[in-house]
Structure formats: C-alpha cells, structure tokens
Amino acid sequence: MRYVIIGAGAVGGVIGGRLAGSGHEVVLVARGAHFEALREHGLRLRVPEGELTHRLPVVDGPAALGELRPDDVLVLAVKTQDSVAALQTWGPAPVAGGGTAAERLPLFCAQNGVEGRRLALRLFRRVYGVCVWLPSTYVEPGVVSAAGSPLTGILHLGRHPHGTDETARLVAADLEKSYFEAPVVADVARWEYAKLLSNLGNALEAVTGPVSDEDALALFRRVRAEGAAVLDAAGIAYASTEEQQAVRGDKVTLVPLDGAPRGGGSSWQSLTRGTGTIEADYLNGEIALLGRLHGVPTPLNELLQHLADTFARERRAAGSMPVAELMRLADEAVVNMR
C-alpha cells in the first residue's frame, strides 16, 4: 500500500515520517512554505532517537501524481476547517482502472474533533475514523517533532460510523511497525468523543498559554464538565478517563527533544504559525452546537470558541491573555446565560 498524507503537518507529517522510516511508501501533500521546504530539504522529523530526514515525494494536489493507484490509502490530516476544500480536491481524482478516489479508495481521517468524518462521508464511500493520541509539533516549515517514547502515539482505528474491516487491520499492522499502537475497534467514535473532551482545552491553551497552574486547570475542568454534560444529554457514548489511562499507561511519555521545545498543542501551533484560522469551531463549537440542540447551556465553551476565533482572525500572539482575565470573562459568561 502507498500512503498519501493529505496535510503533512504535525500529525500527518509524523505519521508519514514514521511510516516511511519503517519502509512504507509515502507521499506527502503540503502547501506554501511547508511544501517548498519539504521538496527542497526533505521531511525533518525530530523524535527521541534524534533528527531523521526523509526524502519523500511531495505534491500540492492530486494532479501531480497523475492517476492514483488502487492500493493507495488516503490519510486526511488537515484541520477540520480545511477539510471540505481537501475532500473536494481529492475526491474526484482518477484511479487507475477506472473510478475516482471517492468511489474506490479508503480515507482515514486523522483529525481532532468528530465533524471531519461526517464531511468525508458525504463524498467518500469508505471512511475510517482515527482517534489521534499523538503529541506532536509543527511550527517551522519542513520540520515536525514528536516527543513520545517508547511509542510515538496511539491511534485507534475503525470504520465510520462503526465497524471494522480488513483494510483497517492492514493499516493498523503497518502503523504498529512504525512506533504506534493502533487498536482496531468497532466503536471508534466512542474514543473520538472522549478525545474531543480533552481537546476542549486546546482553545484555553491557545489563549492563555500552557494549562499548568491551578487556576487554569480548574477552569479546564469546568470546560470539560460542561462538555461531558452535553454529551450525556445527547446520549453520546465516550470512553472514560480511566479506560483511556488504562490503554495509554506509560506508553507515550514525553521526553525532551534537542532543538524542538513543545510549546503547545494544535491550536496553540496554529496561532504561532499565524495561519489566520483555528479549529475551535469544531472542538468547543461542537459542544456549543450539541448544547443548543439538546437544551444544555454551554457558556464556557462558547466563550473559548469566540476568543480563539478572534485570536486567529486578528493574528494575536498565542498565550497572550492572562488566566485571571479569562476567568473573569468566564464567570461573566456563566452569569449572563442564566
């Protein structure tokens, strides 16, 4: 199988680099300065064993590949807000022997949140969810890093909306030879919704910086509890914290990397790169949407969604709002929604 990584950033770049390092054929898809750096200098992957350089084919769209191969596996790793454009670009791509990518090829959605899978299923017949537990960083063109050890990450795989098949098992086997644990599960959405609750802190981290002191942690607990109340009201199942910890154990322990400090998660990285967009609409915004559908107030998640969107649009520096100021706004938001 050949892996086509659509969005070779933090998650996609690390998955692609690790697969290439274990001997699998990989094509990276990128754009802008990242595309140029990958094409000229290769993918620089910083991991606990050092900096690895992978000289891989790099394209900015399907036309550069000609017809896709019947054994291609597409891995969608763009942020959710970029999904529609990517899906509309790759879905009609012709496959050797007839048909299109959307008709014939498997698409694995390695993304935060849950909306990307639904967007994909509108166009692609064979969609797979990937619950991404992969601490990784991309802030410099051509360079991605992952500090997890002994495993780089844990990636639960399954058909969307449910079920498993031989393709999922084959991909999982390749990942498990590439520094990942990749459980194949029939209920991958349950793991994705659990991850969504964790990702509700992404906007908090992007706005105020690392969620480390007690005030920030207390605020995150309130944000997550709001999210859990919404999922419960909607009747949406999610893996418990204890179940997640039992699976993860100490398999992905972060270690210091030379020249690759980990400043923050995916939303923090978006602000740091000055992309002008952020995924909060599909994380905190998912909770806001479900809250409105099921009559559950979500003032804290709505506030974080608004602040993160404002920071991205105005290209404000990541972590530039004091926690005390955010706590004041949070308390006001709760009072105003009563």
Side-chain angles (χ1 to χ4, degrees), residues 157-170:
L157 311 177
R159 286 293 294 261
H160 180 80
H162 50 74
T164 64
D165 63 14
E166 184 62 18
T167 298
R169 288 186 283 272
L170 289 172

Side-chain angles (χ1 to χ4, degrees), residues 34-190:
H34 193 42
F35 168 77
E36 297 295 340
L38 291 171
R39 185 174 61 175
E40 293 180 18
H41 307 293
L43 174 68
R44 295 165 58 193
L45 173 62
R46 292 173 177 165
V47 286
E49 60 265 36
E51 182 172 305
L52 312 174
T53 299
H54 296 286
R55 296 279 183 175
L56 302 172
V58 184
V59 300
D60 58 3
L65 294 175
E67 286 187 319
L68 297 176
R69 294 175 5 190
D71 68 337
D72 280 340
V73 173
L74 306 183
V75 179
L76 185 68
V78 300
K79 296 291 195 299
T80 305
Q81 65 268 24
D82 298 319
S83 292
V84 170
L87 292 166
Q88 290 177 344
T89 296
W90 286 86
V95 178
T100 66
E103 293 167 339
R104 295 187 58 193
L105 299 184
L107 178 77
F108 284 75
C109 297
Q111 302 170 291
N112 286 333
V114 295
E115 183 64 13
R117 292 75 166 156
R118 295 184 68 251
L119 295 172
L121 206 58
R122 294 176 187 274
L123 297 176
F124 279 76
R125 291 177 180 170
R126 298 168 61 196
V127 175
Y128 298 77
V130 183
C131 180
V132 179
W133 177 250
L134 170 52
S136 53
T137 302
Y138 159 51
V139 292
E140 177 186 349
V143 182
V144 297
S145 62
S149 179
L151 294 179
T152 296
I154 299 175
L155 308 173
H156 284 75
L157 311 177
R159 286 293 294 261
H160 180 80
H162 50 74
T164 64
D165 63 14
E166 184 62 18
T167 298
R169 288 186 283 272
L170 289 172
V171 170
D174 287 349
L175 290 169
E176 295 205 332
K177 297 172 186 174
S178 309
Y179 287 88
F180 293 103
E181 185 171 294
V184 177
V185 295
D187 58 349
V188 68
R190 195 169 67 89

Side-chain angles (χ1 to χ4, degrees), residues 266-281:
S266 57
S267 296
W268 181 93
Q269 293 169 41
S270 292
L271 292 184
T272 299
R273 295 200 310 274
T275 61
T277 66
I278 201 165
E279 60 187 340
D281 288 350

Side-chain angles (χ1 to χ4, degrees), residues 6-24:
I6 305 171
V11 169
V14 171
I15 291 175
R18 282 308 203 184
L19 284 168
S22 61
H24 298 288

Side-chain angles (χ1 to χ4, degrees), residues 187-206:
D187 58 349
V188 68
R190 195 169 67 89
W191 293 91
E192 291 167 335
Y193 275 104
K195 178 73 184 320
L196 172 64
L197 292 178
S198 298
N199 285 145
L200 298 180
N202 287 21
L204 173 59
E205 180 184 55

